[in-house]
Amino acid sequence: MITIAITDDHQMVMQGIAHMLADVAHLSVTHTYTTVAKTIDGLSKNLPDILLLDINLPDGNGIDLCKKLRNDYPMLKIIALSSFGEIAFVKRILNNGANGYLLKNTSKEELLAAFKTVLEGEQYLQTDIQKKLLQSSLGQTKATSFMPKLTRREKEVLLAISEELTTQEIAEKLFISVKTVETHRMNLMSKLGARNSVGLIKIALEKDLLKD
């Protein structure tokens, strides 16, 4: 029996996947988690064969969590399951040890193919993601001089990050949730091609994006 755990803060997503796999005899969804903290605690007690891991979580992100889990459980197969198709996110979580990357619109057939592939020790990427990575490697993405178009809220979050405010402080300042701040932060990193907040500010300064 192949055991599957899912980390996602959307109950409908977890229920949908569990329902999708319910009639597959050799698979069992054994545990579901909604936060980084619950995932770390749960895996310390019950380690599955495969973890489906969302990127955007209420108390952190799956990219950093993936790196920790890869160090703690080298044999665990981790497949990112995300709404984000941006190459920056894909590259970062793959670099942090993910065995595969699927978008949440994936089919049952693709899920099963991904499970089989990663359990055989290979990497699995959804077709759309493969194409984007190929285009990126061939230099077919926009030039580095491209000026990203930011929303008003993204600009506000970017300015707050430059003021060295914490995620909680930004949420309180802008009257939005912590998760919404994280979503804006990840969108900013994707648009600017940054790997962390320091890189985000460096690029923002280079492109003169910190003006009110």
Side-chain angles (χ1 to χ4, degrees):
M1 180 66 71
I2 297 168
T3 53
I4 313 291
I6 307 169
T7 294
D8 195 299
D9 63 329
H10 292 94
Q11 289 291 340
M12 287 184 65
V13 172
M14 293 192 291
Q15 290 170 3
I17 293 172
H19 180 72
M20 190 186 293
L21 300 174
D23 62 347
V24 183
H26 64 287
L27 292 178
S28 176
V29 176
T30 55
H31 295 84
T32 58
Y33 308 108
T34 55
T35 66
V36 169
K38 289 177 181 177
T39 303
I40 292 171
D41 180 60
L43 295 187
S44 69
K45 301 167 183 172
N46 297 280
L47 191 66
D49 296 305
I50 299 171
L51 173 68
L52 290 174
L53 177 61
D54 191 10
I55 285 182
N56 195 22
L57 297 166
D59 58 340
N61 68 77
I63 295 173
D64 294 336
L65 177 58
C66 182
K67 186 174 184 178
K68 172 178 171 51
L69 297 179
R70 175 57 58 232
N71 290 331
D72 292 349
Y73 309 108
M75 298 305 292
L76 174 65
K77 302 301 182 184
I78 302 171
I79 300 175
L81 184 69
S82 177
S83 302
F84 299 108
E86 288 86 348
I87 289 303
F89 295 146
V90 178
K91 287 182 176 179
R92 287 179 66 215
I93 199 162
L94 292 179
N95 287 339
N96 279 1
N99 303 97
Y101 199 105
L102 294 171
L103 296 175
K104 288 186 178 180
N105 64 0
T106 188
S107 65
K108 177 180 179 179
E109 291 70 25
E110 190 149 43
L111 258 181
L112 296 177
F115 293 161
K116 182 176 185 294
T117 301
V118 300
L119 288 172
E120 290 174 350
E122 301 294 327
Q123 191 176 74
Y124 189 92
L125 300 175
Q126 197 162 334
T127 305
D128 290 347
I129 300 298
Q130 287 182 28
K131 289 178 181 177
K132 287 184 178 181
L133 282 173
L134 180 59
Q135 289 172 348
S136 175
S137 67
L138 293 176
Q140 294 175 5
T141 53
K142 294 182 176 70
T144 54
S145 60
F146 170 71
M147 183 63 72
K149 186 174 182 179
L150 305 182
T151 66
R152 178 184 61 81
R153 185 64 88 187
E154 285 170 349
K155 289 178 182 176
E156 291 173 346
V157 171
L158 181 60
L159 189 60
I161 292 172
S162 74
E163 295 169 353
E164 299 186 2
L165 299 183
T166 66
T167 300
Q168 183 64 48
E169 288 169 340
I170 295 173
E172 291 172 358
K173 179 179 180 179
L174 300 180
F175 302 103
I176 56 178
S177 69
V178 167
K179 184 177 178 183
T180 299
V181 175
E182 285 294 339
T183 298
H184 287 311
R185 187 193 301 271
M186 295 185 76
N187 286 339
L188 284 165
M189 287 194 291
S190 176
K191 287 183 177 182
L192 299 183
R195 297 176 59 187
N196 51 41
S197 293
V198 175
L200 198 60
I201 299 308
K202 180 174 180 291
I203 295 169
L205 287 169
E206 290 172 355
K207 295 185 177 293
D208 201 22
L209 295 173
L210 292 177
K211 295 180 295 185
D212 290 332

